[in-house]
């Protein structure tokens, strides 16, 4: 009988993790066969929730994209939009956009962004313009994020 070589710590940890995973899967399968436990849809939803939670936590701690930052109407005396907050971003090619908070709407602010708006699915800022105010300072602040 040949002797097995001693495993390094990393290999041992991988084996232990795989065994723990298998045990967890088997326990879940037994639980599901008894009519208890999570279905695939529930498990997926739970995982997505955890990922979103940690993503939001990272953003709140300042560990997010260095090319984006939250902005609010209170920061700008001449806030030009019908909504009061969003995320200012320097996209590639110095295209400056503003994503409306609690919405999927993204508005193109500068000429570069306006030129890419249709292809990117962004709205022109005039779609949310409230009739007064200026995007000038937002564009300046956005370019600082590039």
């Amino acid at each position: 009988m040949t002797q097995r070589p001693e495993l390094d710590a990393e290999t041992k940890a991988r084996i232990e993790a795989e065994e723990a995973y298998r045990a967890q899967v088997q326990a879940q399968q037994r639980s599901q066969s008894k009519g208890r436990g999570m279905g695939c849809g529930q498990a997926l939803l739970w995982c997505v929730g955890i990922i979103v939670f940690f993503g939001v936590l990272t953003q709140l701690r300042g560990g997010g994209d260095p090319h984006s930052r939250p902005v609010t109407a209170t920061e700008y005396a001449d806030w030009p939009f019908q909504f009061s907050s969003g995320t200012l971003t320097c996209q590639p090619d110095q295209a400056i956009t503003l994503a409306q908070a609690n919405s999927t709407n993204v508005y193109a602010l500068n000429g570069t962004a306006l030129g890419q708006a249709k292809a990117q699915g962004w709205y022109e800022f005039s779609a949310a313009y409230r009739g007064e105010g200026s995007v000038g300072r937002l564009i300046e602040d956005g370019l600082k994020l590039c």
Side-chain angles (χ1 to χ4, degrees):
M1 184 181 230
T2 59
Q3 262 188 339
R4 295 173 83 185
E6 185 65 30
L7 301 175
D8 64 353
E10 183 178 340
T11 303
K12 287 180 183 178
R14 283 186 192 162
I15 291 170
E16 290 173 5
E18 186 175 321
E19 289 173 351
Y21 173 76
R22 285 185 186 155
Q24 182 181 11
V25 168
Q26 289 172 350
Q28 186 176 15
Q29 288 172 344
R30 283 192 300 271
S31 175
Q32 287 176 351
S33 68
K34 295 178 183 176
R36 297 187 309 249
M38 268 189 248
C40 288
Q42 289 173 319
L44 178 62
L45 188 58
W46 186 83
C47 288
V48 168
I50 293 295
I51 291 168
V52 169
F53 170 78
F54 282 108
V56 169
L57 186 61
T58 300
Q59 288 288 338
L60 291 174
R61 290 183 165 204
D65 182 0
H67 302 289
S68 296
R69 78 171 184 87
V71 291
T72 63
T74 58
E75 296 175 61
Y76 297 86
D78 58 347
W79 181 262
F81 298 107
Q82 297 170 6
F83 55 92
S84 61
S85 63
T87 301
L88 186 64
T89 302
C90 177
Q91 305 284 351
D93 298 326
Q94 296 186 333
I96 307 304
T97 61
L98 180 65
Q100 181 178 348
N102 302 315
S103 172
T104 58
N105 296 345
V106 177
Y107 298 93
L109 300 185
N110 66 349
T112 305
L114 290 167
Q116 299 176 18
K118 187 173 183 179
Q120 296 292 338
W122 302 330
Y123 296 98
E124 292 187 12
F125 73 87
S126 60
Y129 188 65
R130 65 180 175 91
E132 56 185 50
S134 171
V135 296
R137 189 164 151 235
L138 282 162
I139 293 171
E140 289 174 14
D141 289 351
L143 288 170
K144 293 175 187 173
L145 298 169
C146 295

